[in-house]
Amino acid sequence: MDRPELKDAIARLRAAAPLVHNITNFVAMNATANALLAIGASPAMIDAIEEVADFTPQAAALVVNIGTLSRDRLASMECAAAKASEIGVPWILDPVAAGSTPYRTAAAMTLAQLRPAVIRGNASEILTLGGDARAVPKGVESVHRPEAARAAAGRLAVALGTVIAVTGATDYVTDGRRLAAVANGHPLLTRVTATGCMATALIGAFLGAGLAPFDAAVAGLVTLGVAAEIAAAGAAGPGSFQVALMDALYRLDDAIMTARARVQ
Amino acid sequence: MDRPELKDAIARLRAAAPLVHNITNFVAMNATANALLAIGASPAMIDAIEEVADFTPQAAALVVNIGTLSRDRLASMECAAAKASEIGVPWILDPVAAGSTPYRTAAAMTLAQLRPAVIRGNASEILTLGGDARAVPKGVESVHRPEAARAAAGRLAVALGTVIAVTGATDYVTDGRRLAAVANGHPLLTRVTATGCMATALIGAFLGAGLAPFDAAVAGLVTLGVAAEIAAAGAAGPGSFQVALMDALYRLDDAIMTARARVQ
Amino acid sequence: MDRPELKDAIARLRAAAPLVHNITNFVAMNATANALLAIGASPAMIDAIEEVADFTPQAAALVVNIGTLSRDRLASMECAAAKASEIGVPWILDPVAAGSTPYRTAAAMTLAQLRPAVIRGNASEILTLGGDARAVPKGVESVHRPEAARAAAGRLAVALGTVIAVTGATDYVTDGRRLAAVANGHPLLTRVTATGCMATALIGAFLGAGLAPFDAAVAGLVTLGVAAEIAAAGAAGPGSFQVALMDALYRLDDAIMTARARVQ
């Protein structure tokens, strides 16, 4: 991490303590809020159509995650995302399980057009957003390796004017021009639910702290990856790993990040 | 566990890594997803009426849990359950708190008619499904011991053509002809929320791995019971117990299961 | 804690094992249920408009928390709260993030009129309920110290005929005539989501055990605060803190409470 912007990413996040507005799924809500609190952000989960347009402008960033989609929730997501783009609140899209049903694919496509600063997904989801109709995931899990979606991610980033993060064993971040590979992480992340959602929310927190989208995406993925490595060292399985992950996020600082980041 | 089918139940589950479609309650969603990941299944929580009929056919099994019921969720449950039965995806019903309100009892009765492979409930819930109008539970907790519902379970299994699992201090599994008693478990399971929902989901995972409904029910209950015994050994209370439970599910194998199973 | 009623509060709660009906937010549901189980209550999360009026009368207390509000959920809350007040089931209101949007403020105001036994909120929320239109919180977090809301809490308590608990570094409980300050607690409570919701639910449990509203509010806040102090002693961060918090609630007894309570 030789980019100056990332050297003090954690310190900037903690100083800003950004209010992050999340419209996320029911599986991830609690874990996402706890990850955001652990890293130093201030999460709020507010999703009623009656109030999202009033709330988003108060936030430093918006996180939209389609995990447990419904007609009402999609309407709130579209409303909040449009508002965020209109007034300059950076927002991130997590197109969970895009490709698994026509409804879900269409919802992800619609939201992707509303100018998110970042889109984070697994390879199958990003391939789906790129128009590959054969990229059907296995539920919420990718059936493709992230390398398979790297080229599609670059094209999609240019087409949408956004940053795309494709996550997997190695994560790739691209704006169509630059490409970063993040090799931090641990296989236990795949045995705890909502860790992809946490990655998305952490990127949202760095957006809220004022980092540029490309830097925020790299910082968020390195943060989760390094915390996971620390947590896995003492874990007996996914239960103790998840507990240690929250502790590690809380204790992380820029010195640890700089020493352990594996970014190319 | 002298039945050949159960001897390699965990190995079969891990080899299949079945996609388990859950329409479950908001309290249990996160813990259920984590239990399924820990044991080796691939959970997905997708519940919008716009997409369940497209998603269920992709799954190896369906779990329907009426914990936090609503009109919209009930419609999705009925749609997914009907689809599952139509195309041969095995599914399991958890009639949470059936008997506590007329609405909930009617919903459970309707779903029970849609040919679930297994129904898992506590004694009050199973007595309610069996038509006993006096079997009002205390919220989500049973006021009856499982032994009190054993005969009703047998009749209900025959009437519905399903397997019934009545859980409590001792669990009973019956198809109306065979009866198995599972004595594994630990009292701390009653001090953590959603452990009944986890039992249901684990049975769903074994259904998804191709076990016959009776065997899947026994395997799921033994799995949770053995993991609970291991977890309780080092726990200081329900918090550390729940963490250790996930670790134990992850580390469980057929040798441990065979050695510790108490099935009659 | 020299008040006789509080000396055996935990023992009374465990003997009663009160059924606590929660209509709460999606972030807090699981943690709230686990906190209630750990302390010895019997939680149920039932929130459909089709059944709340049938369920509330079975409960010993009702907890209404507007965290993730929606039109449907608000209707259920109003229905359950009105029913509870009509038939004498004590209930508690948690006006999460009141002040942050007009919709949320109006909902909190409407519910506050339905005769809750206790209202628990942070300073910004209580100031909002007291009519201070400038008391806009930062998402779900207060921007005011509890001392700033103490006078407003007293006036509000008299106007609504209820007990108000304003929580923060020090908590204040008042019925407009009496005032108690609870100094128990730990800063890590602010780095775990839904701990305010847990405080509300614990007060609900003591209401369900038959304590008077003022005593229930003090008992609930002391319970959470003492458990937090015990949990923090061995915690490496918010992850291990949350686990230890559940263990501490489970192991708490009146001797520990009496020895550690800091109430004035």
Side-chain angles (χ1 to χ4, degrees):
Chain A
M1 291 180 73
D2 54 0
R3 289 171 209 78
E5 267 240 270
L6 295 179
K7 278 202 172 122
D8 58 355
I10 302 269
R12 285 179 64 180
L13 195 164
R14 296 216 170 115
L19 176 58
V20 181
H21 180 194
N22 298 269
I23 306 182
T24 189
N25 69 73
F26 299 118
V27 185
M29 273 194 192
N30 188 275
T32 298
N34 276 327
L36 287 171
L37 285 169
I39 201 63
S42 178
M45 272 69 182
I46 282 182
D47 50 24
I49 190 69
E50 287 86 355
E51 58 177 343
V52 287
D54 291 326
F55 192 74
T56 300
Q58 302 172 42
L62 170 69
V63 175
V64 172
N65 175 308
I66 66 169
T68 46
L69 203 54
S70 69
R71 197 181 46 208
D72 286 353
R73 296 180 72 70
L74 180 55
S76 290
M77 290 174 189
E78 291 180 9
C79 175
K83 187 75 175 182
S85 290
E86 176 195 331
I87 62 177
V89 170
W91 72 280
I92 178 166
L93 172 64
D94 191 329
V96 180
S100 66
T101 70
Y103 176 66
R104 187 164 286 272
T105 302
M109 294 266 194
T110 299
L111 289 164
Q113 300 295 330
L114 298 176
R115 290 183 286 138
V118 183
I119 301 175
R120 188 217 62 85
N122 63 35
S124 294
E125 292 157 357
I126 298 301
L127 286 167
T128 295
L129 278 184
D132 187 340
R134 298 159 307 173
V136 180
K138 180 185 179 186
V140 300
E141 293 177 15
S142 184
V143 295
H144 302 86
R145 301 185 60 227
E147 288 70 21
R150 209 162 40 184
R155 289 191 298 272
L156 192 61
V158 171
L160 296 174
T162 187
V163 166
I164 306 280
V166 192
T167 55
T170 297
D171 308 323
Y172 296 97
V173 176
T174 183
D175 58 5
R177 190 172 53 83
R178 288 179 294 172
L179 175 70
V182 178
N184 294 101
H186 192 275
L188 273 173
L189 284 170
T190 67
R191 290 290 117 197
V192 174
T193 195
T195 55
C197 309
M198 280 183 219
T200 300
L202 289 171
I203 296 170
F206 285 108
L207 287 173
L211 271 71
F214 188 88
D215 296 338
V218 174
L221 297 174
V222 170
T223 298
L224 187 66
V226 168
E229 293 165 9
I230 295 169
S240 46
F241 171 73
Q242 188 173 11
V243 172
L245 185 64
M246 293 296 159
D247 287 352
L249 286 172
Y250 179 75
R251 298 168 76 94
L252 216 57
D253 60 29
D254 290 306
I256 302 172
M257 287 271 283
T258 304
R260 300 191 63 139
R262 288 186 284 152
V263 182
Q264 287 198 312
Chain B
M1 291 182 76
D2 54 1
R3 288 171 210 81
E5 266 239 272
L6 294 180
K7 277 203 172 119
D8 58 355
I10 302 270
R12 285 179 64 181
L13 196 164
R14 296 216 170 115
L19 176 58
V20 181
H21 180 195
N22 298 269
I23 306 181
T24 189
N25 69 73
F26 300 118
V27 185
M29 273 193 191
N30 187 275
T32 298
N34 276 328
L36 288 170
L37 285 169
I39 201 64
S42 178
M45 272 67 184
I46 281 182
D47 49 24
I49 191 70
E50 288 86 355
E51 58 178 345
V52 288
D54 291 326
F55 192 75
T56 300
Q58 302 172 42
L62 169 70
V63 174
V64 172
N65 175 308
I66 67 169
T68 46
L69 202 56
S70 70
R71 197 181 45 206
D72 286 353
R73 295 180 71 71
L74 181 55
S76 289
M77 290 173 189
E78 291 180 9
C79 174
K83 187 75 177 181
S85 289
E86 176 195 330
I87 62 176
V89 171
W91 71 280
I92 177 167
L93 172 65
D94 191 328
V96 179
S100 65
T101 70
Y103 176 66
R104 188 163 285 272
T105 302
M109 294 266 194
T110 300
L111 289 164
Q113 300 296 329
L114 297 176
R115 289 183 286 137
V118 182
I119 301 174
R120 187 217 64 85
N122 63 35
S124 294
E125 291 158 358
I126 297 302
L127 286 167
T128 295
L129 278 184
D132 187 338
R134 298 159 307 173
V136 180
K138 180 184 178 187
V140 300
E141 292 177 15
S142 184
V143 295
H144 302 85
R145 300 185 60 228
E147 287 70 22
R150 208 162 43 184
R155 289 191 299 270
L156 192 61
V158 171
L160 297 174
T162 187
V163 166
I164 306 279
V166 192
T167 55
T170 298
D171 309 322
Y172 297 96
V173 176
T174 182
D175 59 5
R177 192 171 52 84
R178 289 178 294 171
L179 176 70
V182 177
N184 294 102
H186 191 275
L188 273 173
L189 284 170
T190 67
R191 291 289 115 197
V192 174
T193 195
T195 54
C197 310
M198 281 184 217
T200 300
L202 290 170
I203 297 171
F206 284 108
L207 286 172
L211 271 70
F214 187 88
D215 296 339
V218 173
L221 297 174
V222 171
T223 297
L224 186 66
V226 168
E229 293 166 10
I230 294 169
S240 45
F241 171 72
Q242 188 174 10
V243 172
L245 185 63
M246 293 297 159
D247 287 351
L249 286 171
Y250 178 76
R251 298 169 76 93
L252 214 58
D253 61 29
D254 290 306
I256 301 172
M257 287 272 282
T258 305
R260 301 191 62 137
R262 289 186 284 150
V263 182
Q264 287 199 313
Chain C
M1 291 180 75
D2 54 1
R3 289 171 210 80
E5 267 239 269
L6 295 180
K7 276 201 173 122
D8 58 355
I10 302 270
R12 286 179 64 181
L13 196 164
R14 296 216 170 114
L19 177 58
V20 180
H21 180 194
N22 298 269
I23 306 182
T24 190
N25 69 72
F26 300 119
V27 185
M29 273 193 191
N30 187 276
T32 299
N34 276 327
L36 288 170
L37 285 168
I39 201 64
S42 178
M45 272 67 184
I46 282 181
D47 50 25
I49 190 71
E50 287 86 355
E51 58 177 345
V52 287
D54 291 328
F55 191 74
T56 300
Q58 302 172 40
L62 170 69
V63 175
V64 172
N65 175 308
I66 66 168
T68 46
L69 203 54
S70 70
R71 198 180 44 207
D72 286 355
R73 296 180 72 70
L74 181 55
S76 290
M77 290 173 189
E78 291 180 8
C79 174
K83 187 75 177 180
S85 289
E86 176 195 330
I87 63 177
V89 171
W91 71 281
I92 179 167
L93 172 64
D94 191 329
V96 179
S100 65
T101 70
Y103 176 66
R104 187 163 287 271
T105 301
M109 294 266 194
T110 300
L111 289 164
Q113 301 294 330
L114 298 176
R115 289 183 286 136
V118 183
I119 300 175
R120 187 216 64 85
N122 63 35
S124 294
E125 292 157 358
I126 298 302
L127 286 167
T128 295
L129 278 184
D132 187 339
R134 300 159 305 173
V136 180
K138 181 184 179 187
V140 300
E141 292 177 15
S142 185
V143 295
H144 301 85
R145 300 186 60 229
E147 287 70 21
R150 208 162 42 183
R155 288 191 299 271
L156 192 61
V158 171
L160 297 173
T162 187
V163 167
I164 306 279
V166 192
T167 55
T170 297
D171 308 323
Y172 296 97
V173 176
T174 182
D175 59 5
R177 193 172 51 84
R178 287 178 295 172
L179 175 70
V182 178
N184 294 102
H186 192 276
L188 274 173
L189 284 170
T190 67
R191 291 288 115 196
V192 174
T193 195
T195 54
C197 309
M198 281 184 217
T200 301
L202 290 170
I203 297 171
F206 284 108
L207 287 173
L211 270 71
F214 187 89
D215 297 338
V218 173
L221 297 174
V222 171
T223 297
L224 187 67
V226 168
E229 292 166 11
I230 295 170
S240 45
F241 172 72
Q242 188 173 11
V243 172
L245 186 64
M246 293 297 160
D247 287 352
L249 286 172
Y250 179 74
R251 298 168 76 95
L252 215 57
D253 61 29
D254 290 305
I256 301 172
M257 287 270 283
T258 304
R260 299 191 62 138
R262 288 186 285 152
V263 181
Q264 287 198 312

